[in-house]
Amino acid sequence: QVLDIGPSDSLLCSGNTIVLNAGTDFSSYLWQDGSTLPTYQVTSPGLYYVTVVSVCGASYSDTITVSLAPPVSISIGPDRTKCNNDTIQLNAPTGFLNYVWGNNYNINSLQGQSVIVNPLVDTLYFVKAEKTPGCFGYDTIRVYVDHSAPIYLGADTSICANESLTLNPGYAGFTNYLWNTGAISNQLTINMPGVYSV
């Protein structure tokens, strides 16, 4: 008969359980802690062994060393910044069995390698990805939301012949300006009727 409770060196992910199985072909089982069932649940690293006796009285032993698996590494990138109602695609790396995203706020899906988010305020998103059964990697990303300053040129108005009017967007902190006339200054002085936008 053959006794095999698993590979001699096994890895256990934090919080998981490995079930060692000595089979059902033996009349008695004795594990390192004195338990006598055919299976043994491993929840922490260590040396595990079992001695079994066959129905014919032969004795067999097997030993396994269980080590703590290294943390699963995953990165969804650095924190990101978006403006107003822009959307951002968040991507997890390939090579995982499945992905679970959170928090459930303005996100197009809670599963899959990539998701699209559209938060209206600064928001923290996270991913939990399963590398091998029961072994997970975790990462978070903060999406910062910038809001544009309001632009207001004023109400529609009239000008008289030989008069001019200076249009001002109402905020002096912009770095670039582009008027529909092609001008790039922070103000536009007009003396002709028309539609003007910036």
Side-chain angles (χ1 to χ4, degrees), residues 1-40:
Q1 287 184 320
V2 176
L3 172 63
D4 182 11
I5 58 173
S8 59
D9 293 317
S10 292
L11 296 176
L12 176 68
C13 290
S14 180
N16 285 357
T17 300
I18 295 176
V19 177
L20 303 179
N21 190 342
T24 58
D25 298 334
F26 302 100
S27 61
S28 68
Y29 305 84
L30 183 61
W31 294 90
Q32 74 287 334
D33 67 347
S35 62
T36 58
L37 296 174
T39 59
Y40 187 86

PDB file of all heavy atoms in Angstrom, residues 1-40:
ATOM      1  N   GLN A   1       0.840  -1.190   0.000  1.00  0.00           N
ATOM      2  CA  GLN A   1       0.000   0.000   0.000  1.00  0.00           C
ATOM      3  C   GLN A   1       0.883   1.250   0.000  1.00  0.00           C
ATOM      4  O   GLN A   1       2.011   1.220   0.465  1.00  0.00           O
ATOM      5  CB  GLN A   1      -0.914   0.009   1.232  1.00  0.00           C
ATOM      6  CG  GLN A   1      -2.030  -1.004   1.133  1.00  0.00           C
ATOM      7  CD  GLN A   1      -2.974  -0.906   2.316  1.00  0.00           C
ATOM      8  OE1 GLN A   1      -2.562  -0.721   3.436  1.00  0.00           O
ATOM      9  NE2 GLN A   1      -4.255  -1.039   2.024  1.00  0.00           N
ATOM     10  N   VAL A   2       0.321   2.338  -0.494  1.00  0.00           N
ATOM     11  CA  VAL A   2       1.054   3.599  -0.582  1.00  0.00           C
ATOM     12  C   VAL A   2       0.384   4.622   0.321  1.00  0.00           C
ATOM     13  O   VAL A   2      -0.833   4.776   0.306  1.00  0.00           O
ATOM     14  CB  VAL A   2       1.085   4.116  -2.040  1.00  0.00           C
ATOM     15  CG1 VAL A   2       1.767   5.458  -2.111  1.00  0.00           C
ATOM     16  CG2 VAL A   2       1.772   3.105  -2.947  1.00  0.00           C
ATOM     17  N   LEU A   3       1.225   5.312   1.097  1.00  0.00           N
ATOM     18  CA  LEU A   3       0.730   6.394   1.952  1.00  0.00           C
ATOM     19  C   LEU A   3       1.348   7.689   1.468  1.00  0.00           C
ATOM     20  O   LEU A   3       2.569   7.801   1.387  1.00  0.00           O
ATOM     21  CB  LEU A   3       1.130   6.143   3.415  1.00  0.00           C
ATOM     22  CG  LEU A   3       0.829   7.289   4.385  1.00  0.00           C
ATOM     23  CD1 LEU A   3      -0.678   7.536   4.471  1.00  0.00           C
ATOM     24  CD2 LEU A   3       1.394   6.977   5.766  1.00  0.00           C
ATOM     25  N   ASP A   4       0.506   8.661   1.097  1.00  0.00           N
ATOM     26  CA  ASP A   4       1.003   9.960   0.631  1.00  0.00           C
ATOM     27  C   ASP A   4       0.024  11.028   1.098  1.00  0.00           C
ATOM     28  O   ASP A   4      -1.103  11.104   0.608  1.00  0.00           O
ATOM     29  CB  ASP A   4       1.117   9.966  -0.891  1.00  0.00           C
ATOM     30  CG  ASP A   4       1.675  11.274  -1.427  1.00  0.00           C
ATOM     31  OD1 ASP A   4       2.172  12.102  -0.618  1.00  0.00           O
ATOM     32  OD2 ASP A   4       1.628  11.481  -2.659  1.00  0.00           O
ATOM     33  N   ILE A   5       0.466  11.858   2.046  1.00  0.00           N
ATOM     34  CA  ILE A   5      -0.427  12.915   2.557  1.00  0.00           C
ATOM     35  C   ILE A   5      -0.207  14.243   1.847  1.00  0.00           C
ATOM     36  O   ILE A   5      -0.807  15.240   2.200  1.00  0.00           O
ATOM     37  CB  ILE A   5      -0.281  13.083   4.083  1.00  0.00           C
ATOM     38  CG1 ILE A   5       1.153  13.423   4.490  1.00  0.00           C
ATOM     39  CG2 ILE A   5      -0.798  11.863   4.800  1.00  0.00           C
ATOM     40  CD1 ILE A   5       1.320  13.763   5.970  1.00  0.00           C
ATOM     41  N   GLY A   6       0.670  14.277   0.829  1.00  0.00           N
ATOM     42  CA  GLY A   6       0.885  15.493   0.051  1.00  0.00           C
ATOM     43  C   GLY A   6       2.348  15.736  -0.217  1.00  0.00           C
ATOM     44  O   GLY A   6       3.214  14.997   0.266  1.00  0.00           O
ATOM     45  N   PRO A   7       2.652  16.766  -0.994  1.00  0.00           N
ATOM     46  CA  PRO A   7       4.061  17.081  -1.289  1.00  0.00           C
ATOM     47  C   PRO A   7       4.824  17.334   0.015  1.00  0.00           C
ATOM     48  O   PRO A   7       4.279  17.879   0.968  1.00  0.00           O
ATOM     49  CB  PRO A   7       3.976  18.356  -2.127  1.00  0.00           C
ATOM     50  CG  PRO A   7       2.563  18.452  -2.583  1.00  0.00           C
ATOM     51  CD  PRO A   7       1.726  17.702  -1.593  1.00  0.00           C
ATOM     52  N   SER A   8       6.101  16.944   0.040  1.00  0.00           N
ATOM     53  CA  SER A   8       6.881  17.064   1.275  1.00  0.00           C
ATOM     54  C   SER A   8       7.017  18.509   1.745  1.00  0.00           C
ATOM     55  O   SER A   8       7.142  18.770   2.934  1.00  0.00           O
ATOM     56  CB  SER A   8       8.262  16.439   1.093  1.00  0.00           C
ATOM     57  OG  SER A   8       8.953  17.079   0.032  1.00  0.00           O
ATOM     58  N   ASP A   9       6.998  19.450   0.825  1.00  0.00           N
ATOM     59  CA  ASP A   9       7.029  20.875   1.178  1.00  0.00           C
ATOM     60  C   ASP A   9       5.805  21.542   0.572  1.00  0.00           C
ATOM     61  O   ASP A   9       5.678  21.616  -0.646  1.00  0.00           O
ATOM     62  CB  ASP A   9       8.286  21.553   0.644  1.00  0.00           C
ATOM     63  CG  ASP A   9       9.545  21.038   1.328  1.00  0.00           C
ATOM     64  OD1 ASP A   9       9.505  20.885   2.554  1.00  0.00           O
ATOM     65  OD2 ASP A   9      10.548  20.801   0.634  1.00  0.00           O
ATOM     66  N   SER A  10       4.908  22.012   1.408  1.00  0.00           N
ATOM     67  CA  SER A  10       3.690  22.670   0.942  1.00  0.00           C
ATOM     68  C   SER A  10       3.629  24.073   1.502  1.00  0.00           C
ATOM     69  O   SER A  10       4.222  24.373   2.547  1.00  0.00           O
ATOM     70  CB  SER A  10       2.448  21.896   1.383  1.00  0.00           C
ATOM     71  OG  SER A  10       2.378  20.667   0.714  1.00  0.00           O
ATOM     72  N   LEU A  11       2.920  24.948   0.783  1.00  0.00           N
ATOM     73  CA  LEU A  11       2.766  26.335   1.207  1.00  0.00           C
ATOM     74  C   LEU A  11       1.334  26.582   1.640  1.00  0.00           C
ATOM     75  O   LEU A  11       0.387  26.119   0.995  1.00  0.00           O
ATOM     76  CB  LEU A  11       3.135  27.290   0.068  1.00  0.00           C
ATOM     77  CG  LEU A  11       4.588  27.238  -0.397  1.00  0.00           C
ATOM     78  CD1 LEU A  11       4.795  28.165  -1.588  1.00  0.00           C
ATOM     79  CD2 LEU A  11       5.537  27.618   0.733  1.00  0.00           C
ATOM     80  N   LEU A  12       1.195  27.327   2.720  1.00  0.00           N
ATOM     81  CA  LEU A  12      -0.113  27.666   3.268  1.00  0.00           C
ATOM     82  C   LEU A  12      -0.262  29.176   3.262  1.00  0.00           C
ATOM     83  O   LEU A  12       0.570  29.888   3.831  1.00  0.00           O
ATOM     84  CB  LEU A  12      -0.232  27.138   4.704  1.00  0.00           C
ATOM     85  CG  LEU A  12      -1.505  27.490   5.474  1.00  0.00           C
ATOM     86  CD1 LEU A  12      -2.705  26.772   4.861  1.00  0.00           C
ATOM     87  CD2 LEU A  12      -1.349  27.116   6.940  1.00  0.00           C
ATOM     88  N   CYS A  13      -1.298  29.667   2.612  1.00  0.00           N
ATOM     89  CA  CYS A  13      -1.570  31.098   2.624  1.00  0.00           C
ATOM     90  C   CYS A  13      -2.227  31.468   3.948  1.00  0.00           C
ATOM     91  O   CYS A  13      -2.997  30.691   4.519  1.00  0.00           O
ATOM     92  CB  CYS A  13      -2.479  31.489   1.468  1.00  0.00           C
ATOM     93  SG  CYS A  13      -1.658  31.368  -0.129  1.00  0.00           S
ATOM     94  N   SER A  14      -1.919  32.656   4.418  1.00  0.00           N
ATOM     95  CA  SER A  14      -2.449  33.128   5.689  1.00  0.00           C
ATOM     96  C   SER A  14      -3.971  33.052   5.696  1.00  0.00           C
ATOM     97  O   SER A  14      -4.639  33.465   4.754  1.00  0.00           O
ATOM     98  CB  SER A  14      -1.995  34.567   5.921  1.00  0.00           C
ATOM     99  OG  SER A  14      -2.503  35.043   7.133  1.00  0.00           O
ATOM    100  N   GLY A  15      -4.531  32.485   6.771  1.00  0.00           N
ATOM    101  CA  GLY A  15      -5.975  32.382   6.912  1.00  0.00           C
ATOM    102  C   GLY A  15      -6.598  31.193   6.217  1.00  0.00           C
ATOM    103  O   GLY A  15      -7.806  31.011   6.262  1.00  0.00           O
ATOM    104  N   ASN A  16      -5.797  30.367   5.548  1.00  0.00           N
ATOM    105  CA  ASN A  16      -6.328  29.224   4.804  1.00  0.00           C
ATOM    106  C   ASN A  16      -6.141  27.926   5.569  1.00  0.00           C
ATOM    107  O   ASN A  16      -5.475  27.875   6.601  1.00  0.00           O
ATOM    108  CB  ASN A  16      -5.649  29.110   3.441  1.00  0.00           C
ATOM    109  CG  ASN A  16      -6.155  30.149   2.478  1.00  0.00           C
ATOM    110  OD1 ASN A  16      -7.044  30.915   2.797  1.00  0.00           O
ATOM    111  ND2 ASN A  16      -5.575  30.193   1.294  1.00  0.00           N
ATOM    112  N   THR A  17      -6.692  26.863   5.010  1.00  0.00           N
ATOM    113  CA  THR A  17      -6.582  25.524   5.578  1.00  0.00           C
ATOM    114  C   THR A  17      -6.162  24.553   4.486  1.00  0.00           C
ATOM    115  O   THR A  17      -6.647  24.639   3.356  1.00  0.00           O
ATOM    116  CB  THR A  17      -7.945  25.072   6.163  1.00  0.00           C
ATOM    117  OG1 THR A  17      -8.324  25.988   7.193  1.00  0.00           O
ATOM    118  CG2 THR A  17      -7.867  23.676   6.741  1.00  0.00           C
ATOM    119  N   ILE A  18      -5.234  23.658   4.828  1.00  0.00           N
ATOM    120  CA  ILE A  18      -4.875  22.545   3.942  1.00  0.00           C
ATOM    121  C   ILE A  18      -5.373  21.274   4.609  1.00  0.00           C
ATOM    122  O   ILE A  18      -5.152  21.065   5.804  1.00  0.00           O
ATOM    123  CB  ILE A  18      -3.346  22.461   3.733  1.00  0.00           C
ATOM    124  CG1 ILE A  18      -2.818  23.689   2.999  1.00  0.00           C
ATOM    125  CG2 ILE A  18      -2.987  21.188   2.958  1.00  0.00           C
ATOM    126  CD1 ILE A  18      -1.296  23.705   2.861  1.00  0.00           C
ATOM    127  N   VAL A  19      -6.047  20.438   3.845  1.00  0.00           N
ATOM    128  CA  VAL A  19      -6.520  19.167   4.383  1.00  0.00           C
ATOM    129  C   VAL A  19      -5.551  18.072   3.934  1.00  0.00           C
ATOM    130  O   VAL A  19      -5.377  17.839   2.735  1.00  0.00           O
ATOM    131  CB  VAL A  19      -7.953  18.849   3.926  1.00  0.00           C
ATOM    132  CG1 VAL A  19      -8.388  17.483   4.431  1.00  0.00           C
ATOM    133  CG2 VAL A  19      -8.919  19.934   4.397  1.00  0.00           C
ATOM    134  N   LEU A  20      -4.921  17.433   4.913  1.00  0.00           N
ATOM    135  CA  LEU A  20      -4.052  16.299   4.628  1.00  0.00           C
ATOM    136  C   LEU A  20      -4.904  15.043   4.692  1.00  0.00           C
ATOM    137  O   LEU A  20      -5.675  14.841   5.634  1.00  0.00           O
ATOM    138  CB  LEU A  20      -2.921  16.226   5.661  1.00  0.00           C
ATOM    139  CG  LEU A  20      -2.055  17.487   5.780  1.00  0.00           C
ATOM    140  CD1 LEU A  20      -0.991  17.295   6.845  1.00  0.00           C
ATOM    141  CD2 LEU A  20      -1.433  17.858   4.446  1.00  0.00           C
ATOM    142  N   ASN A  21      -4.761  14.179   3.689  1.00  0.00           N
ATOM    143  CA  ASN A  21      -5.617  13.002   3.590  1.00  0.00           C
ATOM    144  C   ASN A  21      -4.745  11.752   3.489  1.00  0.00           C
ATOM    145  O   ASN A  21      -3.991  11.584   2.534  1.00  0.00           O
ATOM    146  CB  ASN A  21      -6.529  13.126   2.367  1.00  0.00           C
ATOM    147  CG  ASN A  21      -7.603  12.070   2.346  1.00  0.00           C
ATOM    148  OD1 ASN A  21      -7.515  11.054   3.027  1.00  0.00           O
ATOM    149  ND2 ASN A  21      -8.635  12.312   1.546  1.00  0.00           N
ATOM    150  N   ALA A  22      -4.859  10.874   4.477  1.00  0.00           N
ATOM    151  CA  ALA A  22      -4.086   9.630   4.493  1.00  0.00           C
ATOM    152  C   ALA A  22      -4.818   8.491   3.787  1.00  0.00           C
ATOM    153  O   ALA A  22      -4.298   7.379   3.714  1.00  0.00           O
ATOM    154  CB  ALA A  22      -3.782   9.239   5.939  1.00  0.00           C
ATOM    155  N   GLY A  23      -5.996   8.759   3.258  1.00  0.00           N
ATOM    156  CA  GLY A  23      -6.752   7.717   2.561  1.00  0.00           C
ATOM    157  C   GLY A  23      -7.611   6.913   3.517  1.00  0.00           C
ATOM    158  O   GLY A  23      -7.532   7.060   4.735  1.00  0.00           O
ATOM    159  N   THR A  24      -8.395   6.019   2.958  1.00  0.00           N
ATOM    160  CA  THR A  24      -9.324   5.230   3.783  1.00  0.00           C
ATOM    161  C   THR A  24      -8.985   3.744   3.785  1.00  0.00           C
ATOM    162  O   THR A  24      -9.777   2.924   4.241  1.00  0.00           O
ATOM    163  CB  THR A  24     -10.768   5.424   3.263  1.00  0.00           C
ATOM    164  OG1 THR A  24     -10.810   5.015   1.884  1.00  0.00           O
ATOM    165  CG2 THR A  24     -11.219   6.852   3.411  1.00  0.00           C
ATOM    166  N   ASP A  25      -7.793   3.400   3.276  1.00  0.00           N
ATOM    167  CA  ASP A  25      -7.429   1.987   3.142  1.00  0.00           C
ATOM    168  C   ASP A  25      -6.738   1.411   4.371  1.00  0.00           C
ATOM    169  O   ASP A  25      -6.236   0.284   4.320  1.00  0.00           O
ATOM    170  CB  ASP A  25      -6.496   1.808   1.933  1.00  0.00           C
ATOM    171  CG  ASP A  25      -7.170   2.205   0.632  1.00  0.00           C
ATOM    172  OD1 ASP A  25      -8.414   2.142   0.574  1.00  0.00           O
ATOM    173  OD2 ASP A  25      -6.453   2.597  -0.308  1.00  0.00           O
ATOM    174  N   PHE A  26      -6.694   2.126   5.466  1.00  0.00           N
ATOM    175  CA  PHE A  26      -5.945   1.670   6.631  1.00  0.00           C
ATOM    176  C   PHE A  26      -6.889   1.456   7.815  1.00  0.00           C
ATOM    177  O   PHE A  26      -7.967   2.049   7.893  1.00  0.00           O
ATOM    178  CB  PHE A  26      -4.858   2.690   6.984  1.00  0.00           C
ATOM    179  CG  PHE A  26      -3.908   2.938   5.846  1.00  0.00           C
ATOM    180  CD1 PHE A  26      -4.050   4.057   5.030  1.00  0.00           C
ATOM    181  CD2 PHE A  26      -2.884   2.040   5.575  1.00  0.00           C
ATOM    182  CE1 PHE A  26      -3.186   4.278   3.967  1.00  0.00           C
ATOM    183  CE2 PHE A  26      -2.012   2.250   4.509  1.00  0.00           C
ATOM    184  CZ  PHE A  26      -2.163   3.373   3.703  1.00  0.00           C
ATOM    185  N   SER A  27      -6.436   0.626   8.755  1.00  0.00           N
ATOM    186  CA  SER A  27      -7.290   0.312   9.902  1.00  0.00           C
ATOM    187  C   SER A  27      -7.115   1.305  11.045  1.00  0.00           C
ATOM    188  O   SER A  27      -8.024   1.452  11.874  1.00  0.00           O
ATOM    189  CB  SER A  27      -7.021  -1.114  10.399  1.00  0.00           C
ATOM    190  OG  SER A  27      -5.674  -1.245  10.813  1.00  0.00           O
ATOM    191  N   SER A  28      -5.963   1.993  11.111  1.00  0.00           N
ATOM    192  CA  SER A  28      -5.786   2.994  12.163  1.00  0.00           C
ATOM    193  C   SER A  28      -4.871   4.122  11.673  1.00  0.00           C
ATOM    194  O   SER A  28      -4.054   3.932  10.771  1.00  0.00           O
ATOM    195  CB  SER A  28      -5.207   2.360  13.444  1.00  0.00           C
ATOM    196  OG  SER A  28      -3.882   1.939  13.227  1.00  0.00           O
ATOM    197  N   TYR A  29      -5.045   5.289  12.308  1.00  0.00           N
ATOM    198  CA  TYR A  29      -4.311   6.505  11.941  1.00  0.00           C
ATOM    199  C   TYR A  29      -3.860   7.177  13.230  1.00  0.00           C
ATOM    200  O   TYR A  29      -4.618   7.236  14.205  1.00  0.00           O
ATOM    201  CB  TYR A  29      -5.219   7.481  11.181  1.00  0.00           C
ATOM    202  CG  TYR A  29      -5.867   6.865   9.952  1.00  0.00           C
ATOM    203  CD1 TYR A  29      -7.038   6.112  10.062  1.00  0.00           C
ATOM    204  CD2 TYR A  29      -5.311   7.036   8.708  1.00  0.00           C
ATOM    205  CE1 TYR A  29      -7.628   5.545   8.950  1.00  0.00           C
ATOM    206  CE2 TYR A  29      -5.899   6.469   7.581  1.00  0.00           C
ATOM    207  CZ  TYR A  29      -7.052   5.720   7.700  1.00  0.00           C
ATOM    208  OH  TYR A  29      -7.624   5.157   6.596  1.00  0.00           O
ATOM    209  N   LEU A  30      -2.628   7.700  13.216  1.00  0.00           N
ATOM    210  CA  LEU A  30      -2.144   8.448  14.368  1.00  0.00           C
ATOM    211  C   LEU A  30      -1.322   9.629  13.871  1.00  0.00           C
ATOM    212  O   LEU A  30      -0.227   9.455  13.330  1.00  0.00           O
ATOM    213  CB  LEU A  30      -1.286   7.561  15.297  1.00  0.00           C
ATOM    214  CG  LEU A  30      -0.783   8.244  16.569  1.00  0.00           C
ATOM    215  CD1 LEU A  30      -1.969   8.717  17.437  1.00  0.00           C
ATOM    216  CD2 LEU A  30       0.129   7.299  17.343  1.00  0.00           C
ATOM    217  N   TRP A  31      -1.896  10.845  14.032  1.00  0.00           N
ATOM    218  CA  TRP A  31      -1.220  12.071  13.613  1.00  0.00           C
ATOM    219  C   TRP A  31      -0.317  12.582  14.736  1.00  0.00           C
ATOM    220  O   TRP A  31      -0.407  12.122  15.881  1.00  0.00           O
ATOM    221  CB  TRP A  31      -2.258  13.138  13.236  1.00  0.00           C
ATOM    222  CG  TRP A  31      -3.054  12.769  12.014  1.00  0.00           C
ATOM    223  CD1 TRP A  31      -4.220  12.067  11.981  1.00  0.00           C
ATOM    224  CD2 TRP A  31      -2.715  13.055  10.669  1.00  0.00           C
ATOM    225  NE1 TRP A  31      -4.651  11.891  10.684  1.00  0.00           N
ATOM    226  CE2 TRP A  31      -3.743  12.497   9.859  1.00  0.00           C
ATOM    227  CE3 TRP A  31      -1.668  13.709  10.047  1.00  0.00           C
ATOM    228  CZ2 TRP A  31      -3.728  12.581   8.470  1.00  0.00           C
ATOM    229  CZ3 TRP A  31      -1.662  13.807   8.656  1.00  0.00           C
ATOM    230  CH2 TRP A  31      -2.682  13.254   7.884  1.00  0.00           C
ATOM    231  N   GLN A  32       0.519  13.540  14.444  1.00  0.00           N
ATOM    232  CA  GLN A  32       1.522  14.065  15.372  1.00  0.00           C
ATOM    233  C   GLN A  32       0.899  14.595  16.666  1.00  0.00           C
ATOM    234  O   GLN A  32       1.535  14.599  17.705  1.00  0.00           O
ATOM    235  CB  GLN A  32       2.372  15.164  14.700  1.00  0.00           C
ATOM    236  CG  GLN A  32       1.676  16.503  14.493  1.00  0.00           C
ATOM    237  CD  GLN A  32       0.643  16.503  13.379  1.00  0.00           C
ATOM    238  OE1 GLN A  32       0.739  15.708  12.459  1.00  0.00           O
ATOM    239  NE2 GLN A  32      -0.352  17.368  13.490  1.00  0.00           N
ATOM    240  N   ASP A  33      -0.344  15.023  16.637  1.00  0.00           N
ATOM    241  CA  ASP A  33      -0.985  15.562  17.848  1.00  0.00           C
ATOM    242  C   ASP A  33      -1.875  14.532  18.551  1.00  0.00           C
ATOM    243  O   ASP A  33      -2.588  14.864  19.490  1.00  0.00           O
ATOM    244  CB  ASP A  33      -1.805  16.809  17.502  1.00  0.00           C
ATOM    245  CG  ASP A  33      -3.014  16.502  16.627  1.00  0.00           C
ATOM    246  OD1 ASP A  33      -3.102  15.377  16.081  1.00  0.00           O
ATOM    247  OD2 ASP A  33      -3.868  17.400  16.485  1.00  0.00           O
ATOM    248  N   GLY A  34      -1.841  13.287  18.056  1.00  0.00           N
ATOM    249  CA  GLY A  34      -2.625  12.246  18.690  1.00  0.00           C
ATOM    250  C   GLY A  34      -3.985  12.009  18.076  1.00  0.00           C
ATOM    251  O   GLY A  34      -4.706  11.088  18.483  1.00  0.00           O
ATOM    252  N   SER A  35      -4.395  12.820  17.100  1.00  0.00           N
ATOM    253  CA  SER A  35      -5.708  12.609  16.483  1.00  0.00           C
ATOM    254  C   SER A  35      -5.671  11.339  15.631  1.00  0.00           C
ATOM    255  O   SER A  35      -4.618  10.908  15.165  1.00  0.00           O
ATOM    256  CB  SER A  35      -6.136  13.830  15.665  1.00  0.00           C
ATOM    257  OG  SER A  35      -5.244  14.061  14.609  1.00  0.00           O
ATOM    258  N   THR A  36      -6.845  10.749  15.405  1.00  0.00           N
ATOM    259  CA  THR A  36      -6.908   9.421  14.791  1.00  0.00           C
ATOM    260  C   THR A  36      -7.843   9.332  13.590  1.00  0.00           C
ATOM    261  O   THR A  36      -8.301   8.236  13.234  1.00  0.00           O
ATOM    262  CB  THR A  36      -7.362   8.391  15.855  1.00  0.00           C
ATOM    263  OG1 THR A  36      -8.640   8.794  16.379  1.00  0.00           O
ATOM    264  CG2 THR A  36      -6.358   8.271  16.990  1.00  0.00           C
ATOM    265  N   LEU A  37      -8.127  10.441  12.956  1.00  0.00           N
ATOM    266  CA  LEU A  37      -8.978  10.435  11.762  1.00  0.00           C
ATOM    267  C   LEU A  37      -8.127  10.270  10.501  1.00  0.00           C
ATOM    268  O   LEU A  37      -6.930  10.566  10.507  1.00  0.00           O
ATOM    269  CB  LEU A  37      -9.782  11.724  11.679  1.00  0.00           C
ATOM    270  CG  LEU A  37     -10.795  11.968  12.809  1.00  0.00           C
ATOM    271  CD1 LEU A  37     -11.406  13.355  12.676  1.00  0.00           C
ATOM    272  CD2 LEU A  37     -11.866  10.896  12.800  1.00  0.00           C
ATOM    273  N   PRO A  38      -8.723   9.855   9.369  1.00  0.00           N
ATOM    274  CA  PRO A  38      -7.958   9.726   8.119  1.00  0.00           C
ATOM    275  C   PRO A  38      -7.493  11.076   7.558  1.00  0.00           C
ATOM    276  O   PRO A  38      -6.555  11.127   6.773  1.00  0.00           O
ATOM    277  CB  PRO A  38      -8.933   9.058   7.153  1.00  0.00           C
ATOM    278  CG  PRO A  38     -10.001   8.465   7.993  1.00  0.00           C
ATOM    279  CD  PRO A  38     -10.067   9.282   9.239  1.00  0.00           C
ATOM    280  N   THR A  39      -8.164  12.180   7.945  1.00  0.00           N
ATOM    281  CA  THR A  39      -7.782  13.499   7.440  1.00  0.00           C
ATOM    282  C   THR A  39      -7.347  14.385   8.597  1.00  0.00           C
ATOM    283  O   THR A  39      -7.719  14.169   9.753  1.00  0.00           O
ATOM    284  CB  THR A  39      -8.949  14.175   6.697  1.00  0.00           C
ATOM    285  OG1 THR A  39     -10.049  14.307   7.588  1.00  0.00           O
ATOM    286  CG2 THR A  39      -9.344  13.371   5.470  1.00  0.00           C
ATOM    287  N   TYR A  40      -6.560  15.402   8.233  1.00  0.00           N
ATOM    288  CA  TYR A  40      -6.078  16.344   9.253  1.00  0.00           C
ATOM    289  C   TYR A  40      -6.094  17.743   8.647  1.00  0.00           C
ATOM    290  O   TYR A  40      -5.597  17.946   7.533  1.00  0.00           O
ATOM    291  CB  TYR A  40      -4.653  15.971   9.689  1.00  0.00           C
ATOM    292  CG  TYR A  40      -4.164  16.789  10.858  1.00  0.00           C
ATOM    293  CD1 TYR A  40      -4.452  16.397  12.154  1.00  0.00           C
ATOM    294  CD2 TYR A  40      -3.441  17.958  10.663  1.00  0.00           C
ATOM    295  CE1 TYR A  40      -4.026  17.144  13.240  1.00  0.00           C
ATOM    296  CE2 TYR A  40      -3.007  18.713  11.740  1.00  0.00           C
ATOM    297  CZ  TYR A  40      -3.300  18.299  13.026  1.00  0.00           C
ATOM    298  OH  TYR A  40      -2.880  19.037  14.098  1.00  0.00           O
TER     299      TYR A  40
END
